[in-house]
Amino acid sequence: MFMKNIFSIAVHTILLLTLSTSIFGQGSQTVRGRIIDEASKSPVIGATVVLVRSESPILGSSADVDGNFKISGVPLGRQTFQVKAMGYEARILANVVITAGKEVVLDIVLTEAVVQSAEVEITAKRSENKLVTNNEMALISGRSFNVDDTKRYAGALGDPARMAANFAGVIAGNDSRNDIVVRGNSPGGMLWQLEGLNIPNPNHFGALTSTGGPVSILNNNNIAKSDFLTSAFPAQYGNGLAGVFDLKLRNGNNEKREYLGQVGFNGFELGAEGPFSKTDPKKGSFLVNYRYSTLGIFQKLGIQFGTGNAVPNYQDINFKINLPLSSKVTLSAFGMGGLSDINFDGNKEDTTGKNLYGNENENTRVDYATGIGGVSLDIQTSAKSNLKLTAGVSSTRENFEGDSISTETRKTFLRGQGTFKTQKFSFNGQYVYKINSRNSLNAGFYNDYYAFNLFNKDVFRGVQDVINVNKDGSWYLGQAYVQWKHRFSNRFSITPGLHTQYTTQGEAFAIEPRIGARYNISETQSINIGYGLHNQMQSAYTYAVQTQTANGTVLTNKDLGFTRSQHLVLGTERLLTNNTTLKAEAYYQFIDKAPITMDSRPGSYSALNSGNSFAPDNQDSLVNKGLGENYGIELTLERTFTKGFYYLLTASIFDSKYRGSDKVWRNTAFNTGYVFNALVGKEWKIGTSGQHILALNIKFSTIGGRYLTPLKFEDSKQAERAIFDESKAFSQRQTEYLRADVKLAYRREYAKSTLEFAVDLQNVSNNQNVFNQQYNRRTNSIVTQYQQGFFPVPFVRYTF
């Protein structure tokens, strides 16, 4: 029934928009942007941009004194552009999507050639490769992505984290959240950056002790080309062990007002962008998107999304303001914020339905708030140097309260409550200097001041309070780095660097050497190597956990130091054709100084298994003596979108182990052993005008079974709650994970607008993948909870 309702809504929407929009001809759009030097960030004056096509006339433009170019009359559809400049390696920009509803604004980076010879063409071919990152210092274990990737892949739902789960070495934590496991590491090891600011969890319902959540606050319509790094990342990044999301926001259109209306899983959305002055584009631009949740409507249509009878509510806003103060100085302001809440009522729970969060014997009430804002000043200090200063503030709030429900009388008793508030004030700087075509330097610093107010208590049988955390506090984290890129030739580059960090929390200090190298064996193949030493603080909650002693309350975790990790990666890339790349990487990661229980309390606990749930970790009396190791091999075969067709095949085989204070090596919670993803997509143009586009995207994933800790049935029965057998931690392997997603999409181009409609059919086979095991007090049994079943997600987007 709900599929019939969805189809009816989609058909009426398309008909309404079709009838209300004027008839058009072939249709064209403006393509413009800016061309800058990769190292110095200065404009490349005179660089040419030409549309690659066989028809006449030739369409192209050259960059002015500020690096800006503009091409009018570009035909709609996917187009390819060639970018050239004297003394620079040529670039090919393939499959740029040109639509009627929105101008295309490109930020193009060119690399100066070391030797003026045929060698230039070697890198010119590599420049077509999507695996090349924004960050010139990232020579291994990194790739870029953009808004089209987040929209195209089946199952991604416009979420960068869910999209990244398709890459080699990356596993989604579970279907209900977007936490990602990188090469066996806890999701808590992820570093999120936004426009150079280190930011907190950017997700709705994003718990303090995690880096993921069910729905992203980040709006994919605002994303510019961004980087995702998985190992041995450059010295610019610190305080993270697993991976880096280096997110960039695009500027609003500074010449033309444009608008967006969108409805999908992520919510009702309205967006606007444009210049502050219609006559002078140099006066700056704005970009803003607001979104409100639609899940209440989906539930009324009969679509179940894993929350039972409860309906998640959320809303968010994303914005960026760009103000050129002169030809060499630009001021930008950016930010995002989100509110979310949900109430689970155990007495109203349908015990036959799926609920990945609630429980029939409990009530849970939660609300979250996250705000992130920043201001940056970008100064072109000379033709060879650039300085960027960024100041920002972020805050998070998390409130929760839970009740236990009597299995006999169904009366409620307070089970626990908590409030977590954090604030962070940041001031960062980055200076880049291009010495010559062979050498460039990148140096910078991060200053973060944290303040927090944390309270959490459990209540047993409604009467006995146990305070886990009750702490106000603050600390400072300072980081500094320097990186050098040396190009021996157009074929061979190295990027040595040094990162340092210090925190007043526990007076911890670390010096971290990093290095990467790339050698192009031929025009079509390269080998790469990277090494990095990385350290990360513990969460604010971990430091604040209380221990009750005969002398009162003691904070036994407050002096914990950094967890330390060493990454070693060896890889190779081969261009099989101009649009198909084969990539292989082998890696080894050794972790030490992980928090575990004291030797006097030997056990299987390790903080390396934390960070993928809403619940905080109340383990006290921890010391930095834990060990861990991750190693594996990854393969990626990717055809970029060419002639209406793409595919992405990734395979990872790995092992992830840890050692607690009982000196036993065990599987980590994230050791699935293998993961395989296959994505394929095809577009068809309908009719001679090409204004009608149909697309089919398919994804198949299989992941090795997760390891769970078995429950002690008799102990759980006595305690009336789940009691796990920690002596057998992560020893019970579940069945493998299998899931297939199919996305059907349609795009219609009008004279000055674009309509898009899609249906994302997730888990089309309705496969029952294990989520976890729980103890049910009412039935006195251990029950297996399964992940999301078949879940259709409609999507409509209109730009004009």
Side-chain angles (χ1 to χ4, degrees), residues 82 169 172 188 207 252-253 333 441 602 674 679:
Q82 185 177 55
N253 193 325
L441 290 175
Y674 68 88
L679 295 89

Side-chain angles (χ1 to χ4, degrees), residues 677-724:
N677 295 302
L679 295 89
V680 61
K682 175 67 177 173
E683 279 189 0
W684 295 271
K685 291 183 179 180
I686 301 174
T688 57
S689 63
Q691 270 77 13
H692 301 266
I693 305 293
L694 282 178
L696 172 66
N697 297 279
I698 301 172
K699 171 188 173 182
F700 173 77
S701 296
T702 179
I703 304 172
R706 300 171 60 203
Y707 286 94
L708 302 180
T709 301
L711 281 160
K712 290 184 174 181
F713 178 71
E714 291 301 326
D715 291 355
S716 298
K717 180 179 177 181
Q718 251 186 356
E720 295 186 346
R721 59 187 177 90
I723 302 295
F724 296 94

Side-chain angles (χ1 to χ4, degrees), residues 519-569:
Y519 180 70
N520 293 328
I521 300 172
S522 67
E523 293 185 3
T524 58
Q525 187 171 8
S526 68
I527 57 173
N528 320 283
I529 190 169
Y531 169 81
L533 183 64
H534 308 267
N535 288 265
Q536 184 177 16
M537 292 184 68
Q538 315 309 324
S539 74
Y541 191 93
T542 299
Y543 293 119
V545 171
Q546 297 184 173
T547 303
Q548 300 298 328
T549 69
N551 298 321
T553 298
V554 179
L555 302 181
T556 51
N557 294 342
K558 67 180 178 63
D559 293 324
L560 283 171
F562 299 135
T563 299
R564 184 171 64 181
S565 171
Q566 297 185 69
H567 296 208
L568 178 64
V569 193

Side-chain angles (χ1 to χ4, degrees), residues 486-739:
H486 177 68
R487 304 171 68 202
F488 294 94
S489 67
N490 286 332
R491 290 181 180 271
F492 184 35
S493 302
I494 61 170
T495 55
L498 192 68
H499 180 276
T500 65
Q501 63 185 51
Y502 164 78
T503 178
T504 56
Q505 180 68 46
E507 298 295 326
F509 176 75
I511 299 177
E512 305 169 347
R514 316 275 179 87
I515 189 168
R518 179 193 297 275
Y519 180 70
N520 293 328
I521 300 172
S522 67
E523 293 185 3
T524 58
Q525 187 171 8
S526 68
I527 57 173
N528 320 283
I529 190 169
Y531 169 81
L533 183 64
H534 308 267
N535 288 265
Q536 184 177 16
M537 292 184 68
Q538 315 309 324
S539 74
Y541 191 93
T542 299
Y543 293 119
V545 171
Q546 297 184 173
T547 303
Q548 300 298 328
T549 69
N551 298 321
T553 298
V554 179
L555 302 181
T556 51
N557 294 342
K558 67 180 178 63
D559 293 324
L560 283 171
F562 299 135
T563 299
R564 184 171 64 181
S565 171
Q566 297 185 69
H567 296 208
L568 178 64
V569 193
L570 177 65
T572 182
E573 294 177 28
R574 183 175 180 84
L575 290 175
L576 304 180
T577 69
N578 284 338
N579 51 51
T580 305
T581 304
L582 177 64
K583 177 181 177 180
E585 287 191 357
Y587 65 89
Y588 177 77
Q589 179 186 10
F590 179 75
I591 304 170
D592 64 347
K593 298 186 178 182
I596 59 174
T597 53
M598 301 168 65
D599 291 340
S600 58
R601 297 167 56 183
S604 60
Y605 174 85
S606 173
L608 297 180
N609 296 308
S610 303
N612 69 330
S613 68
F614 296 100
D617 190 338
N618 292 318
Q619 187 67 55
D620 66 343
S621 304
L622 299 177
V623 293
N624 289 106
K625 293 185 177 181
L627 302 178
E629 65 175 10
N630 302 307
Y631 57 89
I633 187 168
E634 301 166 357
L635 295 174
T636 298
L637 178 63
E638 181 172 11
R639 172 191 165 101
T640 57
F641 209 107
T642 307
K643 296 182 179 179
F645 177 62
Y646 79 92
Y647 58 77
L648 173 64
L649 306 177
T650 63
S652 306
I653 299 174
F654 68 99
D655 194 30
S656 178
K657 293 288 199 299
Y658 80 98
R659 193 183 80 173
S661 58
D662 60 2
K663 311 301 182 186
V664 176
W665 282 93
R666 293 182 168 85
N667 298 298
T668 68
F670 315 108
N671 188 20
T672 62
Y674 68 88
V675 56
F676 173 77
N677 295 302
L679 295 89
V680 61
K682 175 67 177 173
E683 279 189 0
W684 295 271
K685 291 183 179 180
I686 301 174
T688 57
S689 63
Q691 270 77 13
H692 301 266
I693 305 293
L694 282 178
L696 172 66
N697 297 279
I698 301 172
K699 171 188 173 182
F700 173 77
S701 296
T702 179
I703 304 172
R706 300 171 60 203
Y707 286 94
L708 302 180
T709 301
L711 281 160
K712 290 184 174 181
F713 178 71
E714 291 301 326
D715 291 355
S716 298
K717 180 179 177 181
Q718 251 186 356
E720 295 186 346
R721 59 187 177 90
I723 302 295
F724 296 94
D725 187 352
E726 297 296 342
S727 67
K728 299 178 181 178
F730 307 110
S731 62
Q732 192 175 83
R733 190 167 195 178
Q734 308 304 301
T735 56
E736 71 276 7
Y737 174 101
L738 295 169
R739 173 170 153 173

Side-chain angles (χ1 to χ4, degrees), residues 27-97:
S28 64
Q29 185 57 276
T30 298
V31 175
R32 57 192 182 84
R34 189 166 186 253
I35 306 172
I36 62 172
D37 182 278
E38 179 183 41
S40 68
K41 313 304 179 187
S42 60
V44 182
I45 302 171
T48 60
V49 184
V50 177
L51 175 66
V52 179
R53 65 173 184 170
S54 57
E55 298 90 347
S56 296
I58 296 174
L59 294 179
S61 176
S62 59
D64 62 18
V65 293
D66 296 321
N68 297 317
F69 70 92
K70 185 174 183 178
I71 307 174
S72 301
V74 178
L76 304 182
R78 294 184 180 273
Q79 304 294 349
T80 297
F81 298 87
Q82 185 177 55
V83 187
K84 289 185 176 182
M86 183 68 70
Y88 283 84
E89 296 169 357
R91 282 202 62 182
I92 296 292
L93 305 178
N95 299 296
V96 179
V97 180

Side-chain angles (χ1 to χ4, degrees), residues 279-554:
T279 58
D280 185 0
K282 293 185 177 181
K283 289 188 176 180
S285 65
F286 67 91
L287 169 66
V288 61
N289 280 272
Y290 171 77
R291 181 170 53 187
Y292 189 84
S293 60
T294 53
L295 295 182
I297 294 175
F298 280 14
Q299 190 179 66
K300 292 183 185 300
L301 290 172
I303 301 176
Q304 295 300 316
F305 35 82
T307 59
N309 290 315
V311 178
N313 300 304
Y314 53 86
Q315 57 183 311
D316 54 61
I317 189 169
N318 287 232
F319 72 90
K320 185 176 182 182
I321 296 171
N322 195 59
L323 297 172
L325 303 182
S326 70
S327 62
K328 296 185 177 182
V329 181
T330 301
L331 178 68
S332 297
F334 58 90
M336 63 181 184
L339 301 171
S340 52
D341 66 82
I342 190 169
N343 295 328
F344 295 97
D345 189 333
N347 280 321
K348 295 181 180 178
E349 187 58 42
D350 178 6
T351 57
T352 64
K354 185 183 295 293
N355 192 333
L356 302 180
Y357 307 102
N359 186 309
E360 63 175 285
N361 299 312
E362 296 175 354
N363 295 330
T364 303
R365 299 168 292 278
V366 295
D367 67 83
Y368 299 81
T370 299
I372 300 165
V375 177
S376 66
L377 192 65
D378 192 290
I379 307 170
Q380 193 67 48
T381 50
S382 74
K384 290 189 174 184
S385 61
N386 179 272
L387 174 66
K388 185 176 182 180
L389 300 174
T390 306
V393 60
S394 63
S395 64
T396 66
R397 186 201 71 225
E398 177 182 350
N399 296 317
F400 68 89
E401 188 172 72
D403 304 323
S404 289
I405 302 175
S406 169
T407 56
E408 297 176 357
T409 65
R410 306 306 291 172
K411 285 184 59 179
T412 60
F413 303 91
L414 185 65
R415 174 174 51 90
Q417 60 184 186
T419 298
F420 305 151
K421 296 179 181 178
T422 71
Q423 268 194 318
K424 181 170 68 172
F425 300 91
S426 304
F427 180 63
N428 309 332
Q430 181 185 49
Y431 180 74
V432 295
Y433 179 67
K434 180 180 176 181
I435 301 171
N436 52 42
S437 62
R438 294 179 182 271
N439 297 281
S440 60
L441 290 175
N442 183 348
F445 61 86
Y446 300 92
N447 291 293
D448 293 317
Y449 176 80
Y450 295 79
F452 58 89
N453 183 331
L454 309 177
F455 174 78
N456 180 26
K457 74 173 182 179
D458 292 327
V459 182
F460 292 96
R461 302 186 186 279
V463 294
Q464 182 183 357
D465 287 5
V466 174
I467 307 297
N468 300 307
V469 166
N470 186 13
K471 175 68 175 175
D472 292 343
S474 62
W475 74 67
Y476 164 78
L477 174 64
Q479 304 176 66
Y481 65 90
V482 61
Q483 300 176 109
W484 169 46
K485 183 174 183 178
H486 177 68
R487 304 171 68 202
F488 294 94
S489 67
N490 286 332
R491 290 181 180 271
F492 184 35
S493 302
I494 61 170
T495 55
L498 192 68
H499 180 276
T500 65
Q501 63 185 51
Y502 164 78
T503 178
T504 56
Q505 180 68 46
E507 298 295 326
F509 176 75
I511 299 177
E512 305 169 347
R514 316 275 179 87
I515 189 168
R518 179 193 297 275
Y519 180 70
N520 293 328
I521 300 172
S522 67
E523 293 185 3
T524 58
Q525 187 171 8
S526 68
I527 57 173
N528 320 283
I529 190 169
Y531 169 81
L533 183 64
H534 308 267
N535 288 265
Q536 184 177 16
M537 292 184 68
Q538 315 309 324
S539 74
Y541 191 93
T542 299
Y543 293 119
V545 171
Q546 297 184 173
T547 303
Q548 300 298 328
T549 69
N551 298 321
T553 298
V554 179

